[in-house]
């Protein structure tokens, strides 16, 4: 990838699902001034539409995707200037990587930046469940102190936590759990993780993990293979009285089966930051359950989350604008495609016009 002298005529579109027209965001300061400082133009898209109408991306070289906008051939086949989709976060299940590669579009995300905030979000839900925090909060607010004897906390030391999708976030969560005296086991597609052995984490099959765990934490990415991974048969394999924490994606869980497991008492409780659908329907039974702790897909939204995720996404944009390879590329094979080379040549022609 050749280095250009300046990001001339490089424009970034920011998705309107989480940003306002002035560049402010529900996440906080996105650091868009760093683009301006580099001479890179940016604008927030006029509306939140999924997929983005190709007309809205005319003359746009990069998209800062703040949420889960779809990028597939419907958009990519009609956006000849687009070179980069920079995901604000780690998940990319709505992005067709093969279609992006064919179209010469680089896709990046920010996995390192979400590692600690998401791990602490998982710990927060686990601790809230083990201490019956939601029920005790309600007892206190209603001056019903007599009811506290019915909400004794569950133990932590000596209990087993099974992390489904044991990757970087799972490893970070294990670092927080092991000092509490908890045994951590994990499961992932490859059956390997370089951090697992150092942390004393055994990687086991999913069935074994479900059968052994007192707490099951979902960190897995959403793929066709993991959709509804935790269904009625999976709940049946879990210990009676176990807890479920989901900080991955709502579609990892069969919501009907989850309700049944909670209603029957087989599952002692659940801590959920993600749902299917999002938001839940107002009359969903889950919303009224005392043994469920809920957060609106935002528990990891901390100041350091916004700072580090935005820094990573902005760095990717600047790198592509300046002709460099960014970090955390999800489709590195794109750099060898004729489509990407053609887009770089067009940009070079703009930067250095023929005399």
């Amino acid at each position: 990838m050749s280095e250009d002298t300046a990001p001339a005529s490089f424009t970034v579109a920011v998705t309107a699902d989480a940003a306002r027209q002035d560049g402010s965001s529900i996440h906080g300061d996105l650091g868009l001034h760093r683009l301006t400082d580099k001479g890179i133009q940016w604008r927030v898209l006029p509306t939140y539409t999924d997929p983005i109408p190709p007309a809205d991306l005319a003359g746009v070289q990069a998209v800062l995707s703040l949420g889960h906008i779809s990028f597939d051939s419907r958009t990519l086949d009609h956006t000849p200037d687009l070179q980069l989709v920079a995901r604000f976060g780690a998940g990319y299940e709505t992005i067709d990587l093969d279609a992006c590669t064919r179209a010469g579009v680089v896709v990046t995300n920010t996995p390192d930046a979400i590692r600690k905030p998401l791990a602490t979000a998982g710990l927060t839900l686990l601790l809230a469940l083990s201490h019956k925090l939601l029920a005790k909060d309600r007892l206190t607010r209603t001056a019903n102190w007599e009811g506290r004897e019915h909400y004794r906390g569950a133990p932590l030391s000596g209990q087993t936590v099974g992390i489904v999708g044991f990757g970087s976030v799972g490893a970070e969560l294990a670092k927080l759990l092991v000092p509490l005296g908890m045994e951590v086991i994990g499961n992932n597609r490859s059956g390997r993780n370089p951090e697992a052995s150092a942390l004393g984490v055994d990687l086991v099959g999913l069935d074994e993990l479900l059968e052994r765990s007192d707490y099951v934490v979902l960190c897995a990415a959403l793929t066709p293979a993991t959709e509804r991974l935790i269904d009625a048969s999976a709940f049946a394999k879990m210990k009676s009285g176990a807890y479920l924490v989901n900080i991955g994606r709502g579609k990892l869980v069969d919501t009907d089966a989850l309700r049944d497991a909670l209603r029957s008492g087989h599952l002692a409780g659940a801590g959920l930051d993600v749902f299917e659908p999002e938001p839940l329907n107002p009359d969903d039974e889950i919303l009224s359950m005392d043994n469920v702790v809920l957060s609106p897909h935002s528990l990891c939204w901390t100041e350091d989350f916004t700072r580090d995720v935005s820094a990573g996404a902005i760095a990717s944009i600047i790198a592509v604008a300046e002709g460099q390879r960014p970090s955390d590329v999800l489709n590195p094979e794109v750099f060898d495609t004729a489509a990407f080379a053609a887009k770089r040549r067009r940009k070079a022609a703009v930067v250095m016009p023929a005399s």
Side-chain angles (χ1 to χ4, degrees):
M1 196 172 172
S2 62
E3 182 176 355
D4 295 334
T5 57
S9 301
F10 200 94
T11 299
V12 179
V14 183
T15 59
D17 47 354
R20 307 173 187 93
Q21 290 302 305
D22 64 358
S24 61
S25 155
I26 62 175
H27 297 291
D29 182 10
L30 298 174
L32 296 174
H33 65 276
R34 283 172 282 186
L35 298 177
T36 304
D37 292 344
K38 288 284 188 175
I40 299 171
Q41 304 172 59
W42 61 266
R43 58 181 171 82
V44 177
L45 291 171
T47 59
Y48 168 43
T49 306
D50 186 16
I52 300 170
D56 286 350
L57 298 180
V60 168
Q61 281 71 43
V63 174
L64 175 56
S65 182
L66 299 179
H68 300 286
I69 297 286
S70 301
F71 286 92
D72 55 28
S73 58
R74 291 173 294 176
T75 301
L76 299 166
D77 289 349
H78 305 285
T79 51
D81 297 314
L82 188 62
Q83 299 177 30
L84 169 69
V85 175
R87 263 288 289 127
F88 186 93
Y92 55 92
E93 66 270 14
T94 59
I95 301 175
D96 185 334
L97 292 182
D98 289 337
C100 287
T101 299
R102 289 194 301 271
V105 176
V106 182
V107 183
T108 63
N109 65 349
T110 56
D112 290 340
I114 69 157
R115 177 177 172 131
K116 288 186 177 180
L118 199 54
T120 55
L123 177 63
T124 297
L125 289 173
L126 189 152
L127 292 176
L129 288 170
S130 68
H131 287 287
K132 309 291 192 295
L133 184 61
L134 180 61
K136 290 177 179 178
D137 176 86
R138 290 175 177 170
L139 292 176
T140 307
R141 293 178 188 277
T142 57
N144 183 20
W145 286 48
E146 292 78 9
R148 59 187 172 174
E149 67 175 288
H150 303 296
Y151 295 97
R152 300 182 190 277
L156 293 174
S157 181
Q159 299 294 285
T160 299
V161 180
I163 300 176
V164 179
F166 193 88
S168 62
V169 172
E172 193 68 32
L173 178 58
K175 292 177 185 177
L176 302 174
L177 295 171
V178 170
L180 298 178
M182 307 191 82
E183 178 187 9
V184 180
I185 57 178
N187 168 266
N188 60 27
R189 287 175 295 177
S190 68
R192 300 184 301 275
N193 184 286
E195 295 182 86
S197 59
L199 292 167
V201 175
D202 288 332
L203 296 180
V204 300
L206 180 61
D207 287 353
E208 180 180 347
L209 181 145
L210 295 173
E211 292 165 359
R212 289 175 53 186
S213 298
D214 301 289
Y215 300 84
V216 173
V217 182
L218 306 181
C219 299
L222 179 62
T223 68
T226 60
E227 186 168 349
R228 295 197 172 189
L229 181 69
I230 308 301
D231 56 10
S233 64
F235 283 119
K237 292 174 181 137
M238 291 176 65
K239 291 181 179 181
S240 178
Y243 295 87
L244 177 75
V245 171
N246 190 0
I247 55 173
R249 287 288 184 266
K251 287 185 178 180
L252 295 173
V253 178
D254 181 330
T255 305
D256 290 335
L258 172 61
R259 289 191 202 92
D260 290 342
L262 289 165
R263 192 186 302 119
S264 70
H266 179 70
L267 200 63
L272 309 173
D273 185 51
V274 289
F275 309 91
E276 173 56 27
E278 291 188 357
L280 287 173
N281 296 321
D283 60 350
D284 195 306
E285 184 182 359
I286 288 175
L287 297 174
S288 62
M289 291 180 169
D290 277 342
N291 58 343
V292 181
V293 181
L294 306 171
S295 171
H297 202 158
S298 61
L299 196 57
C300 73
W301 290 7
T302 58
E303 290 184 6
D304 55 331
F305 164 86
T306 300
R307 179 196 66 212
D308 295 343
V309 172
S310 61
I314 296 294
S316 292
I317 294 170
I318 292 173
V320 171
E322 295 183 342
Q324 304 295 326
R325 288 200 182 195
S327 301
D328 299 314
V329 176
L330 294 167
N331 58 336
E333 62 275 14
V334 70
F335 298 120
D336 297 324
T337 65
F340 181 78
K343 290 183 177 185
R344 297 309 298 174
R345 284 197 298 271
R346 285 199 299 271
K347 179 180 181 295
V350 172
V351 174
M352 294 177 287
S355 56

